Amino acid sequence: GNSVTQMEGPVTLSEEAFLTINCTYTATGYPSLFWYVQYPGEGLQLLLKATKADDKGSNKGFEATYRKETTSFHLEKGSVQVSDSAVYFCALSGSARQLTFGSGTQLTVLP
Amino acid sequence: DTAVSQTPKYLVTQMGNDKSIKCEQNLGHDTMYWYKQDSKKFLKIMFSYNNKELIINETVPNRFSPKSPDKAHLNLHINSLELGDSAVYFCASSLRQGNFDEQFFGPGTRLTVL
């Protein structure tokens, strides 16, 4: 079946630091890949997505590239802000047309 | 003009009770979902539903049942609540059930079973 493995948190960074959250997946066929963000006390929001190999999704300074050869979709941001503190979820949608989520990575950015 | 709304936001109840959580979406989407998020933030799909098909995650106990009075609503009924049902429950919707489609999430309902 499908699965998503995310780097375990929590991750604590200083403001303006570089962020990488690793995500790898196992799936049959050609899944779509997503990053969702959950701010404290809220539901999940789509951050970015990529639907085919070598696509790069980007939004709000975050980006991730769909790498089929390494089955990865790592999230990066060049300079994080305090307002980026949240839980980040990598997810895939495959032939079952349902989202499979990773375990989530808690990010805390300190001023 | 909330896209996906859930009520109540908090629900505290005793073991053995029956309760419902309501979900409504005003996006005109065809497909709705229920997820359970445990205390470690792990998210698990419980159901996906459109007007043609209900897909149930086989690990979900049959005490949980979705009810859809119309396309804009998917309510979650839970019978004989157990301590292990304590979690945050999220409703979501998407335009279709395709694998490209973004899902829009509600704010969540925190269920506490005492």
Side-chain angles (χ1 to χ4, degrees), chain B:
Chain B
D1 58 345
T2 305
V4 181
S5 59
Q6 294 178 228
T7 54
K9 188 167 175 66
Y10 300 96
L11 181 55
V12 181
T13 188
Q14 300 287 331
M15 254 184 2
N17 284 349
D18 302 337
K19 290 293 178 186
S20 295
I21 305 172
K22 294 185 177 180
C23 177
E24 176 181 3
Q25 54 95 4
N26 63 6
L27 298 167
H29 287 170
D30 282 344
T31 305
M32 296 182 73
Y33 310 82
W34 277 105
Y35 289 87
K36 179 180 180 180
Q37 186 176 47
D38 65 22
S39 58
K40 296 183 179 178
K41 300 289 188 183
F42 186 72
L43 272 162
K44 184 174 78 170
I45 180 78
M46 301 177 72
F47 306 99
S48 66
Y49 181 79
N50 62 26
N51 59 3
K52 298 174 186 175
E53 190 177 21
L54 171 66
I55 299 175
I56 303 171
N57 184 320
E58 61 189 16
T59 66
V60 175
N62 59 13
R63 298 181 295 102
F64 290 79
S65 58
K67 299 274 194 309
S68 180
D70 56 56
K71 198 171 113 170
H73 297 83
L74 184 67
N75 303 325
L76 182 65
H77 296 270
I78 317 169
N79 294 327
S80 303
L81 278 155
E82 299 178 359
L83 293 176
D85 298 333
S86 296
V88 181
Y89 292 84
F90 287 99
C91 178
S93 71
S94 64
L95 183 58
R96 293 170 300 268
Q97 204 171 0
N99 65 350
F100 301 145
D101 290 325
E102 173 185 356
Q103 291 186 19
F104 291 79
F105 283 76
T109 296
R110 181 174 294 277
L111 171 65
T112 303
V113 182
L114 303 175

Side-chain angles (χ1 to χ4, degrees), chain A residues 29-79:
Chain A
Y30 303 95
S32 295
L33 301 173
F34 304 82
W35 277 100
Y36 280 81
V37 59
Q38 183 179 24
Y39 297 103
E42 297 183 12
L44 280 73
Q45 304 172 24
L46 179 68
L47 182 59
L48 52 85
K49 72 177 184 182
T51 57
K52 62 182 189 295
D54 300 325
D55 265 4
K56 178 186 280 188
S58 60
N59 186 25
K60 300 181 182 179
F62 291 90
E63 52 184 42
T65 302
Y66 187 160
R67 301 283 188 207
K68 193 163 174 64
E69 64 276 13
T70 54
T71 61
S72 64
F73 193 54
H74 305 320
L75 182 68
E76 296 183 337
K77 186 174 185 183
S79 176

